Amino acid sequence: MRWDRPIGALLLLWPMLWALWLAGNGRPDWGVVAVFVSGVWVMRSAGCVINDYLDRNVDPFVERTRDRPLAAGRVYPEEALALFGFLMLIALGLALLCNRMTLLLAFGGAFLAATYPLMKRYTYLPQVYLGMAFGWAVPMAWAGQTAQFPPPLAWLVFLVAVLWAVIYDTQYAMVDRDDDLKIGVKSTAILFGELDVAILAVLQGLMLLALLLVGRQAGLAWPYWLSLLGVAGLFVRQGYLVRRRDRAGCFAAFRNNNWVGGVVFLGILGAYLAGPAG
């Protein structure tokens, strides 16, 4: 479940919090917040378990993953499946605490989470699929707060989450690129090739543009716009870290994205505390 490595849960958590605060106009229902924060940790744990189960014959050949419990033989595949089923039952219980619209959207989220690990076998764009899986927390949270089908603003935030996941998971994939090429696993890091650093910069620019549109459409006050300057600075830092494409630098850039999510959230929180824009 990788509870000792919470970075994945945090990257899933931030877009969900963005959505809850935007949907609640800065005052989300705290019961809904509690359910969704719990859901983030449960679903991320379940995703790790099913990912390791499906990759149990691949992970032993990748330097970063060869010591994972299934890959190292410390856990039986049947135990992993039992744990996955248990976690999904907890997730279902949490979904049943929500309204009907959220419950309907939850089935789509469960499908995306369960099928994501297969994508790197069939497409060079598994990072896009991961973005959809992680980003699905946005429309779900919006529905959880409003009990209605998410509006266009929610889907714009979903787009931000997808772009962001492609950025950070490409950086993550750059760490494993040499191993993935040997074993035939696909990724955007392999697809982008020598253009990877340049394409990451373009994606970061598109994400900033989408965040600008979010702020404009939501009518957010000045703290949000200040936070985007912070995000731009963090992206410059990430570009510096990945410039040589070494494992340590790419992994550091990946981890730096936790700050990106937190800065955006602080901007949204500050905007509502400051009052209406203008």
Side-chain angles (χ1 to χ4, degrees):
M1 294 187 292
R2 293 205 267 290
W3 283 6
D4 58 327
R5 299 178 183 179
I7 181 65
L10 292 169
L11 293 174
L12 176 57
L13 178 73
W14 290 123
M16 182 274 294
L17 292 178
W18 306 343
L20 281 178
W21 256 255
L22 289 168
N25 291 313
R27 295 182 178 180
D29 182 284
W30 287 104
V32 174
V33 173
V35 168
F36 273 87
V37 170
S38 300
V40 161
W41 288 94
V42 171
M43 285 304 298
R44 191 264 179 163
S45 299
C48 289
V49 172
I50 195 63
N51 179 80
D52 287 6
Y53 173 79
L54 293 172
D55 285 353
R56 65 192 184 280
N57 297 319
V58 173
D59 284 346
F61 302 99
V62 178
E63 180 179 340
R64 183 180 51 81
T65 61
R66 63 182 51 160
D67 290 327
R68 287 178 176 173
L70 272 170
R74 297 194 300 273
V75 173
Y76 290 113
E78 296 79 10
E79 293 175 310
L81 284 179
L83 177 58
F84 174 71
F86 176 68
L87 290 168
M88 293 304 292
L89 284 175
I90 296 176
L92 176 60
L94 290 170
L96 290 173
L97 296 174
C98 300
N99 56 62
R100 184 172 180 271
M101 179 57 67
T102 305
L103 183 59
L104 291 173
L105 289 170
F107 288 105
F111 174 80
L112 289 168
T115 54
Y116 156 70
L118 297 171
M119 293 301 107
K120 57 177 170 261
R121 293 166 171 78
Y122 304 107
T123 175
Y124 284 99
L125 299 172
Q127 282 67 32
V128 176
Y129 201 87
L130 176 73
M132 295 168 60
F134 270 33
W136 200 252
V138 170
M140 281 189 61
W142 210 287
Q145 176 64 35
T146 65
Q148 298 176 355
F149 187 79
L153 177 58
W155 296 106
L156 182 57
V157 178
F158 171 75
L159 175 62
V160 172
V162 173
L163 286 169
W164 188 33
V166 175
I167 292 165
Y168 64 66
D169 205 45
T170 297
Q171 295 165 343
Y172 194 64
M174 289 168 71
V175 177
D176 297 334
R177 179 159 43 193
D178 293 341
D179 293 326
D180 288 347
L181 284 167
K182 293 176 184 176
I183 60 180
V185 171
K186 300 176 175 64
S187 71
T188 48
I190 294 173
L191 177 65
F192 296 161
E194 294 181 357
L195 296 176
D196 50 4
V197 175
I199 292 175
L200 281 172
V202 171
L203 290 171
Q204 289 168 336
L206 290 174
M207 181 179 166
L208 280 169
L209 176 60
L211 285 168
L212 285 167
L213 294 175
V214 167
R216 180 178 178 182
Q217 191 168 333
L220 297 179
W222 64 267
Y224 177 77
W225 306 105
L226 186 62
S227 76
L228 297 192
L229 292 177
V231 171
L234 290 168
F235 281 162
V236 170
R237 171 64 176 166
Q238 291 175 21
Y240 177 80
L241 289 169
V242 302
R243 73 194 189 286
R244 295 178 179 172
R245 301 178 176 86
D246 59 284
R247 290 177 185 262
C250 293
F251 192 67
F254 161 74
R255 292 181 60 85
N256 181 264
N257 281 281
N258 182 43
W259 291 100
V260 172
V263 166
V264 173
F265 177 67
L266 287 176
I268 294 171
L269 183 64
Y272 283 113
L273 292 174

